[in-house]
Amino acid sequence: QKEVLDRSTMKPAITLVGMSVPKNFYGALSTGRIVDGFLNRFIVVESHVPRTVGKMVAFVEPPQSTYDWVSDFKQRVIKFDDDSNALLDSLAYRLVDQQNSLEKEGLEVLLSRTREKAMRLALIGALADDRRTKVIKGDITQWAIDYVYYYDQLLIENCKDKVAGSEMEGRIKQILSFIRSQGDWGISKRDIDRREIFRSMKSYEVKEIIERLKNSGEIQEKDLRAKGTGRPTKRIVAIDPEFFNED
């Protein structure tokens, strides 16, 4: 036991990359998993690149310059310049204001490490630009802030739509997200009988969720014509959430 407690890690540097599909990723989340302070340590990047056919790639030996960079690298302190400090201070104020507005939804914790992540990414960028640099310049810091802030904002919006605190709330968000994904054409009652997302639920649950979403003003039933012509059919479409935010 003494040997275990006396162990120390020299030059710790952990880079963890995880990959999943959005359905599985958000399906595994809950409000409890958000507030525990683990998710906000990651930069969550959701790719919308369409499926492509994979190709075999020949092995490429890393260039000698990469070996030289690693072997020559020594631990040292690199400071942010004045422009970087001003940018980071401005970000801190912006984050506090937004966290205050997100507190009622329990999502403010997702921004608690945004500044820290931007600083770490700026360090990586500075060393990638010049391994012997002694300062992290403002232009690199600005890029890191923009990158991290952008993806943290997307994560917040996705969590609002897809992460729930209860099983029923999760199903409601799942159905609403699906209807939104169908765009202006929405879904028909026939789709409700055929689509797997609905068939995995009991019919009375689906009916209840559809009614709740109608009553909350998040979806509505419309008479629509395919391509603007022909006989109208009743479709269930999502209402743009930004509609209610307009002055």
Side-chain angles (χ1 to χ4, degrees):
Q1 184 179 9
K2 186 176 184 301
E3 290 179 358
V4 172
L5 294 176
D6 286 345
R7 287 189 304 178
S8 59
T9 302
M10 303 301 294
K11 298 184 179 179
I14 300 174
T15 299
L16 179 62
V17 178
M19 298 184 69
S20 179
V21 295
K23 181 180 178 181
N24 293 344
F25 177 75
Y26 293 110
L29 293 180
S30 65
T31 52
R33 291 179 181 268
I34 289 175
V35 301
D36 68 8
F38 182 69
L39 181 63
N40 59 21
R41 297 173 185 269
F42 294 89
I43 302 174
V44 179
V45 178
E46 183 175 336
S47 172
H48 296 282
V49 176
R51 292 184 179 88
T52 58
V53 177
K55 297 180 181 179
M56 297 296 291
V57 179
F59 174 76
V60 176
E61 184 73 26
Q64 185 60 41
S65 59
T66 300
Y67 290 108
D68 294 341
W69 192 94
V70 173
S71 61
D72 184 59
F73 191 85
K74 294 179 177 58
Q75 189 178 39
R76 66 186 188 278
V77 175
I78 300 177
K79 297 182 178 181
F80 287 95
D81 67 8
D82 291 341
D83 289 341
S84 294
N85 285 325
L87 290 168
L88 291 168
D89 286 346
S90 176
L91 173 64
Y93 283 106
R94 188 178 5 158
L95 292 174
V96 168
D97 289 340
Q98 191 175 5
Q99 283 181 291
N100 290 336
S101 65
L102 289 170
E103 191 167 1
K104 61 181 181 295
E105 299 171 271
L107 297 174
E108 76 282 356
V109 69
L110 293 178
L111 295 177
S112 62
R113 294 185 181 273
T114 299
R115 185 171 180 267
E116 175 187 329
K117 290 186 293 189
M119 293 172 70
R120 292 175 181 272
L121 188 58
L123 171 63
I124 294 171
L127 290 172
D129 183 59
D130 179 4
R131 63 176 176 172
R132 302 187 187 282
T133 187
K134 296 181 179 180
V135 296
I136 303 172
K137 298 179 181 178
D139 58 337
I140 293 178
T141 301
Q142 182 65 69
W143 174 85
I145 289 173
D146 292 343
Y147 188 94
V148 173
Y149 186 81
Y150 173 79
Y151 282 111
D152 276 1
Q153 295 302 306
L154 287 184
L155 177 62
I156 289 171
E157 293 305 314
N158 284 326
C159 286
K160 286 180 180 179
D161 287 342
K162 302 173 184 177
V163 179
S166 66
E167 186 175 353
M168 175 56 75
E169 186 185 352
R171 290 175 179 175
I172 292 172
K173 290 191 174 186
Q174 187 181 12
I175 288 180
L176 177 58
S177 178
F178 173 74
I179 297 174
R180 283 176 175 167
S181 71
Q182 302 306 298
D184 296 336
W185 186 235
I187 64 171
S188 67
K189 291 184 177 179
R190 182 177 297 180
D191 290 326
I192 295 177
D193 295 329
R194 292 181 174 180
R195 298 291 186 126
E196 181 62 31
I197 185 176
F198 300 106
R199 292 171 63 184
S200 62
M201 305 178 191
K202 292 181 173 60
S203 59
Y204 72 86
E205 290 179 332
V206 175
K207 184 177 180 180
E208 179 186 348
I209 290 172
I210 294 294
E211 287 302 314
R212 288 177 64 172
L213 290 173
K214 284 182 181 178
N215 294 335
S216 66
E218 293 176 282
I219 64 173
Q220 62 180 336
E221 197 169 28
K222 286 184 175 182
D223 289 326
L224 298 176
R225 290 182 173 87
K227 298 181 180 179
T229 61
R231 187 177 179 180
T233 59
K234 289 192 177 296
R235 311 283 299 185
I236 298 172
V237 298
I239 298 175
D240 184 356
E242 295 298 320
F243 175 81
F244 299 102
N245 295 331
E246 295 178 357
D247 295 331

